Amino acid sequence: MRLILLGAPGAGKGTQATYIKEKYNIPQISTGDMLRAAIAAGTSLGLEAKKVMDTGGLVSDDIIIGLVKDRLTQPDCANGYLFDGFPRTTPQADAMKDAGVTIDYVLEINVPDEAIIDRMSGRRVHPGSGRTYHVKFNPPKVEGKDDVTGEELVQRPDDKEETVKKRLSVYHEQTEVLLSYYGDWAKSGKPGAPKYRKIAGVGPVESIRDSAFAALSE
């Protein structure tokens, strides 16, 4: 199973990716995770990426494509892979196609902007452990405090409402075009064209998961 998950930031791609990779026993290739690891390690790439990410911008194609190509050479990708948050632009999609990266399915998770703003701006994180909460949907036992340590929770810069709105704007301008890019390619019936599926990303997580599994078995 080799697939791409598409959808706006905060559409729930990461959550559904976890279910899909467990079901098909494939690695999740998240450029966000790769970038965050680079930031945590304090590499020059990480520092450069952090400046861009903190303002809601997109990291350059060259950096991302380099990371991804290296990742696909690792042994755990032999049986397939799941792209979460990549490609984000038409040049990235073209670069994947030119590199001969095989894709079986493209799965779009569709969520309205208002729901995403509500979902992301309410996130709170415990920096020490990475535990996440939501002020409305998954609140801590004590407001603003981690359940385990009692330490302060923080709102990541890229979860602030103004940054979320900017990220959505960037998505609509630069990434939304991929919906038609892959949709048209799927309809073309050309050799190597993926299957394109679209599901709604609102409602209980389990029902979204079931929709995803059903779409990937068609």
Side-chain angles (χ1 to χ4, degrees):
M1 173 60 73
R2 296 162 293 199
L3 76 149
I4 293 171
L5 279 181
L6 288 181
K13 297 186 299 295
T15 301
Q16 295 307 318
T18 301
Y19 290 127
I20 292 167
K21 70 178 184 179
E22 287 173 0
K23 180 177 174 66
Y24 293 100
N25 193 28
I26 54 175
Q28 174 183 351
I29 299 176
S30 165
T31 51
D33 287 347
M34 284 193 263
L35 286 166
R36 275 190 283 275
I39 290 168
T43 65
S44 57
L45 167 65
L47 295 173
E48 188 183 334
K50 186 176 191 303
K51 283 182 198 166
V52 180
M53 290 167 72
D54 281 353
T55 59
L58 289 177
V59 178
S60 77
D61 289 352
D62 288 347
I63 292 173
I64 298 292
I65 288 165
L67 281 171
V68 169
K69 282 183 175 173
D70 286 347
R71 182 69 183 85
L72 290 185
T73 64
Q74 295 178 22
D76 64 341
C77 291
N79 296 324
Y81 35 81
L82 181 157
F83 284 110
D84 166 24
F86 180 85
R88 291 185 190 229
T89 63
T90 303
Q92 287 179 356
D94 284 338
M96 280 182 73
K97 201 188 272 189
D98 293 344
V101 176
T102 304
I103 300 297
D104 301 315
Y105 281 91
V106 176
L107 180 65
E108 176 195 344
I109 301 178
N110 182 263
V111 181
D113 282 7
E114 311 77 60
I116 287 172
I117 292 166
D118 202 24
R119 193 183 280 182
M120 292 184 75
S121 63
R123 277 186 193 160
R124 298 295 183 270
V125 180
H126 175 241
S129 66
R131 277 185 290 276
T132 57
Y133 301 86
H134 192 283
V135 294
K136 187 187 294 184
F137 306 124
N138 179 35
K141 292 170 185 168
V142 178
E143 187 178 342
K145 307 284 187 184
D146 177 50
D147 286 352
V148 178
T149 65
E151 293 167 349
E152 291 286 335
L153 300 176
V154 302
Q155 184 180 38
R156 293 191 311 208
D158 54 349
D159 285 339
K160 292 185 186 297
E161 184 168 336
E162 60 272 23
T163 306
V164 173
K165 286 180 176 174
K166 182 171 181 182
R167 290 174 70 195
L168 285 170
S169 173
V170 170
Y171 168 79
H172 291 308
E173 287 169 23
Q174 298 185 20
T175 306
E176 201 166 42
V177 67
L178 292 180
L179 307 185
S180 55
Y181 178 102
Y182 283 110
D184 292 345
W185 187 18
K187 285 178 201 161
S188 75
K190 291 178 182 173
K195 295 176 181 174
Y196 191 95
R197 300 288 184 263
K198 176 179 177 178
I199 62 170
V202 290
V205 169
E206 293 78 10
S207 65
I208 301 168
R209 174 200 65 198
D210 294 343
S211 296
F213 288 169
L216 294 174
S217 64
E218 290 174 3

